[in-house]
Amino acid sequence: VQLQASGGGLVQPGGSLRLSCLGSGSTLDDYTIGWFRQAPGKEREWVCSDSRVGGSFYADSVRGRFATFRDNAKNAVILQMNNLRPEDTAVYYCAAGRFVPVVYHIRNYAEWGQGTEVTVSS
């Protein structure tokens, strides 16, 4: 599967953005989709995942503000980000894995899209 992330941009604190991870070459139904982000000078970190067997999982830093869900008609996974904070500024990546026993382990995701940049600033 090939992944393409889009939807990033500049938003003020408290604002919202919706990122999209579009799949091609294979249906995303066969994959757990993870969202990761990397801020300047920091390591890539897990944000959330939508499991192929059901359920969504979130890092403590985004729980209650972010939501991920599938748009099956478009073969896409959406990341809805609300109440954004300056510390959410990063390049966001979507990734796919067929067998993901631990959703926050980066090594479980074999396929990666290019990043989309999110900047939260006034």
Side-chain angles (χ1 to χ4, degrees), residues 4-106:
Q4 182 175 359
S6 62
L10 172 65
V11 63
Q12 292 186 341
S16 298
L17 276 178
R18 175 172 287 201
L19 305 185
S20 178
C21 178
L22 183 65
S24 61
S26 182
T27 174
L28 293 185
D29 289 348
D30 295 336
Y31 297 87
T32 290
I33 303 300
W35 288 94
F36 294 80
R37 66 186 181 187
Q38 188 165 17
K42 295 187 176 181
E43 293 188 354
R44 193 168 299 189
E45 66 173 0
W46 174 71
V47 176
C48 60
S49 294
D50 188 278
S51 172
R52 69 181 182 95
V53 298
S56 299
F57 306 89
Y58 299 91
D60 289 344
S61 59
V62 305
R63 187 176 294 112
R65 300 187 297 123
F66 290 13
T68 186
F69 53 92
R70 296 182 186 250
D71 184 343
N72 292 324
K74 296 181 179 179
N75 199 34
V77 176
I78 307 299
L79 178 62
Q80 177 67 43
M81 305 187 295
N82 299 323
N83 192 20
L84 283 160
R85 304 167 179 170
E87 53 263 40
D88 295 319
T89 295
V91 177
Y92 283 71
Y93 300 86
C94 60
R98 284 187 179 271
F99 304 105
V100 183
V102 180
V103 294
Y104 52 82
H105 279 178
I106 195 170

Side-chain angles (χ1 to χ4, degrees), residues 100-117:
V100 183
V102 180
V103 294
Y104 52 82
H105 279 178
I106 195 170
R107 64 176 180 266
N108 288 328
Y109 297 87
E111 308 296 335
W112 290 78
Q114 90 293 353
T116 185
E117 189 169 1

